[in-house]
């Protein structure tokens, strides 16, 4: 019954629902932005360039012949994909999406259609995707490739969007798509076994005819999950709010918020505006309570190291998830439109109350008419919490411990009987 209800809500066909199930249960992914821009690290010719680091070529209007030599400084000798994947797994991450090629056109894989890739242009000289895919498979982590199809500032015809700044970028966009983007997408979908996600970016200037160039390849991968950024009105499987938590989610659509931990996707040596672990844990909770996934970014250095600040935050998320995983993975959205103290997630006859603002009197009101069989902290499941009824509004009242168990997010599990009956607020 519950499964049918989910299908009906989201207007999905059975095949689509089946394809999306692992993704819906996964909730938490790690984005990796990595490329030649990581070597510039936010600075060009001694000047700190404002904005997101992976855009530095565009923002600083760096000509191609000045940008390309930086590939010699992209030499990730410290790259340890097994360690990255284990770190992500310990953080509670279920899938990883890496920039196979960002807007600067630099491929992290061995592409046969260009020399502008890690094998031909960087001293490292080896495909970076292959060992990451292997490590993910070994650890049971799903793998996705980000691919910038509509912007490629280092191949002629690929810089149509947002103008171009170097005559060497002149060219026809369709020729670029036919000669670079389409064959490269075929490469990344063919050379690494089954890939779980293809993350397009961005739809601008992608007419229907241009987007359709990719269709023959996509049709060969029916289980591939794609986002809504191909363009040409192709909706893909997922909505992609960027850098924000949507107020209500996207009813009837799968969705995923992608977000940075500081103010850049690609590594910038001097960006230290890190979000706190508390903010990140609460973002994950809030997104999941609205039915979405959280794709949280790391930007490794050109040497191949994930910044310490990112590792610390991921570890804190993993620590919290270790205790509270049951309230995140495989859950559905909150049935309550609003809870003054926090958020809610659900799994069948169980609600998980995520307490952000601990009630001053330690009493947690639950606006539902159902009998509660059992309530307890996920951190201490063997100790049942007292449940009473508020005579005035018939809400159930859970008696919490006086001392706040977790100031970031204390999760209370509530097992209830019968069909959920919410008491609307007056
Ligand atoms: O890959 C990450 C970003 O690089 C990419 N999407 C995420 C996942 C992205 N593409 N476009 N944008 C984000 C937003 C673009 C903002 C812009 Fe600008 C405003 C482009 C030009 C003006 C910011 C400010 C970047 C350059 C100046």
């Amino acid at each position: 019954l519950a499964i049918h209800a989910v299908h009906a809500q989201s207007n999905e066909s059975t095949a689509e629902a089946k394809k999306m199930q692992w993704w819906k249960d996964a909730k938490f992914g790690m984005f990796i932005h990595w490329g030649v821009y990581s070597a510039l690290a936010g600075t060009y010719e001694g000047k700190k360039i404002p904005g997101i680091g992976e855009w530095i070529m565009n923002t600083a209007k760096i000509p191609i012949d000045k940008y390309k030599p930086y590939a010699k400084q992209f030499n990730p000798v410290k790259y340890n994909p097994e360690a990255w994947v284990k770190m992500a797994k310990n953080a509670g991450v279920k899938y990883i999406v890496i920039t196979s090629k960002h807007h600067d056109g630099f491929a992290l894989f061995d592409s046969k259609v260009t020399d502008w890739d890690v094998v031909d242009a960087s001293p490292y000289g080896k495909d970076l995707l292959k060992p990451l895919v292997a490590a993910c498979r070994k650890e049971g982590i799903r793998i996705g490739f980000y691919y910038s199809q509509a912007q490629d500032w280092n191949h002629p015809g690929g810089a149509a969007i947002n103008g171009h700044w170097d005559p060497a970028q002149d060219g026809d966009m369709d020729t670029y798509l036919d000669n670079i983007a389409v064959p490269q997408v075929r490469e990344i979908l063919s050379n690494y076994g089954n890939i779980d996600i293809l993350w397009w970016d961005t739809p601008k200037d992608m007419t229907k005819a241009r987007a359709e160039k990719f269709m023959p390849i996509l049709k060969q991968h029916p289980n591939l999950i794609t986002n809504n950024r191909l363009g040409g009105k192709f909706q893909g499987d997922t909505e992609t709010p960027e850098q924000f938590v949507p107020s209500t989610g996207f009813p009837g659509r799968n969705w995923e918020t992608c977000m940075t931990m500081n103010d850049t996707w690609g590594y910038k040596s001097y960006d230290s505006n890190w979000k706190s672990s508390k903010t990140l844990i609460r973002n994950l909770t809030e997104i999941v309570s609205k039915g979405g996934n959280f794709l949280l970014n790391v930007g490794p250095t050109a040497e191949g190291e994930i910044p310490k600040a990112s590792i610390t935050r991921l570890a804190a998320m993993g620590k919290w998830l270790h205790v509270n995983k049951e309230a995140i993975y495989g859950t559905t959205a909150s049935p309550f439109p609003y809870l003054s103290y926090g958020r809610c997630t659900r799994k069948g006859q169980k609600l998980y109350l995520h307490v952000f603002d601990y009630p001053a009197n330690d009493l947690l009101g639950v606006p539902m008419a159902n009998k509660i069989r059992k309530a307890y902290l996920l951190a201490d499941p063997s100790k049942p919490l007292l449940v009473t009824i508020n005579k005035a509004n018939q809400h159930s009242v859970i008696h919490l411990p006086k001392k706040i168990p977790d100031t970031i997010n204390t999760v209370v599990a509530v097992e209830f009987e019968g069909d959920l009956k919410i008491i609307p607020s007056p």
Side-chain angles (χ1 to χ4, degrees):
L1 185 72
I3 287 167
H4 287 138
V6 169
H7 290 183
Q9 260 173 28
S10 56
N11 303 319
E12 279 175 335
S13 74
T14 314
E16 170 80 358
K18 207 170 158 212
K19 173 175 109 169
M20 296 306 294
Q21 197 57 55
W22 76 262
W23 189 93
K24 283 194 209 185
D25 291 343
K27 308 298 183 191
F28 185 25
M30 185 172 86
F31 221 162
I32 303 175
H33 275 70
W34 201 27
V36 169
Y37 45 82
S38 317
L40 285 97
T43 300
Y44 177 62
E45 292 186 334
K47 284 197 205 66
K48 289 184 174 163
I49 308 300
I52 42 185
E54 70 284 3
W55 272 72
I56 192 166
M57 183 181 176
N58 182 309
T59 309
K61 304 300 171 217
I62 306 175
I64 286 180
D65 66 354
K66 289 264 170 78
Y67 188 81
K68 281 201 161 159
Y70 284 98
K72 295 272 172 272
Q73 293 175 38
F74 182 75
N75 188 17
V77 290
K78 293 184 178 162
Y79 180 43
N80 186 342
E82 292 84 12
W84 285 12
V85 171
K86 283 194 176 129
M87 188 271 296
K89 190 175 175 177
N90 286 334
V93 161
K94 302 295 187 191
Y95 61 103
I96 290 175
V97 180
I98 185 167
T99 50
S100 67
K101 183 196 93 168
H102 202 266
H103 304 335
D104 71 354
F106 183 76
L108 298 189
F109 55 97
D110 183 12
S111 177
K112 300 301 180 208
V113 296
T114 181
D115 287 342
W116 185 230
D117 68 23
V118 63
V119 175
D120 297 314
S122 117
Y124 190 72
K126 284 173 284 189
D127 189 308
L128 292 166
L129 303 183
K130 200 156 260 173
L132 183 68
V133 172
C136 283
R137 295 237 168 81
K138 185 167 167 228
E139 297 295 334
I141 300 296
R142 301 271 186 163
I143 181 76
F145 291 152
Y146 168 110
Y147 186 84
S148 172
Q149 82 283 14
Q151 296 193 69
D152 185 323
W153 307 324
N154 277 287
H155 289 109
I161 299 178
N162 298 311
H164 45 303
W165 53 92
D166 179 351
Q169 295 170 319
D170 286 354
D172 173 57
M173 186 170 179
D174 285 289
T175 306
Y176 147 75
L177 288 170
D178 294 339
N179 294 347
I180 302 291
V182 170
Q184 284 194 331
V185 168
R186 191 175 299 116
E187 288 176 328
I188 59 174
L189 293 185
S190 308
N191 296 347
Y192 304 89
N194 279 329
I195 296 309
D196 299 298
I197 299 166
L198 181 57
W199 216 99
W200 303 110
D201 205 18
T202 59
K204 204 166 166 244
D205 282 8
M206 290 294 292
T207 59
K208 189 149 188 290
R210 285 170 175 166
E212 268 167 357
K213 293 173 188 283
F214 296 95
M215 286 305 134
I217 313 162
L218 293 189
K219 287 219 170 75
Q220 290 170 11
H221 300 275
N223 288 322
L224 184 72
I225 293 171
T226 62
N227 70 3
N228 65 341
R229 297 191 181 191
L230 173 57
K233 299 222 168 74
F234 286 95
Q235 294 304 298
D237 301 301
T238 62
E239 298 293 314
T240 51
E242 181 165 329
Q243 299 285 41
F244 69 98
V245 180
S247 54
T248 55
F250 299 81
R253 289 280 289 165
N254 292 302
W255 62 276
E256 172 192 69
T257 282
C258 57
M259 192 178 278
T260 52
M261 288 197 205
N262 50 1
D263 293 326
T264 183
W265 303 86
Y267 178 70
K268 284 181 89 169
S269 61
Y270 51 89
D271 182 339
S272 53
N273 192 26
W274 300 98
K275 296 174 182 77
S276 66
S277 306
K278 173 175 168 174
T279 294
L280 297 173
I281 289 167
R282 288 187 171 188
N283 281 351
L284 172 66
T285 302
E286 182 171 357
I287 288 164
V288 173
S289 81
K290 293 172 178 175
N293 281 13
F294 192 27
L295 184 61
L296 183 59
N297 183 71
V298 297
T301 66
E303 277 202 292
E305 289 188 303
I306 295 175
K308 286 235 158 46
S310 303
I311 293 177
T312 312
R313 281 155 184 78
L314 285 165
M317 295 179 82
K319 195 170 163 223
W320 182 86
L321 278 163
H322 185 71
V323 173
N324 299 292
K325 50 184 171 289
E326 186 188 321
I328 296 291
Y329 306 114
T331 61
T332 53
S334 174
F336 303 109
Y338 175 77
L339 288 175
S340 60
Y341 46 79
R343 309 283 162 186
C344 179
T345 53
R346 180 181 183 178
K347 214 178 268 173
Q349 294 300 116
K350 258 188 188 178
L351 296 178
Y352 302 97
L353 303 170
H354 299 255
V355 184
F356 290 178
D357 300 313
Y358 212 73
N361 56 8
D362 315 316
L363 298 176
L364 200 65
V366 193
M368 61 190 239
N370 304 64
K371 183 168 185 323
I372 290 178
R373 199 195 301 270
K374 206 166 143 199
Y376 52 92
L377 302 178
L378 270 193
D380 198 358
S382 63
K383 203 183 285 166
L385 299 172
L386 177 67
V387 182
T388 55
I389 305 286
N390 180 336
K391 288 259 158 48
N393 58 14
Q394 294 301 308
H395 293 191
S396 290
V397 177
I398 299 170
H399 296 239
L400 297 175
K402 288 247 171 309
K403 186 172 172 294
I404 305 179
D406 185 338
T407 53
I408 294 179
N409 177 1
T410 298
V411 181
V412 182
V414 175
E415 296 180 21
F416 64 94
E417 295 180 358
D419 290 345
L420 183 62
K421 211 167 157 255
I422 290 168
I423 302 172
S425 40

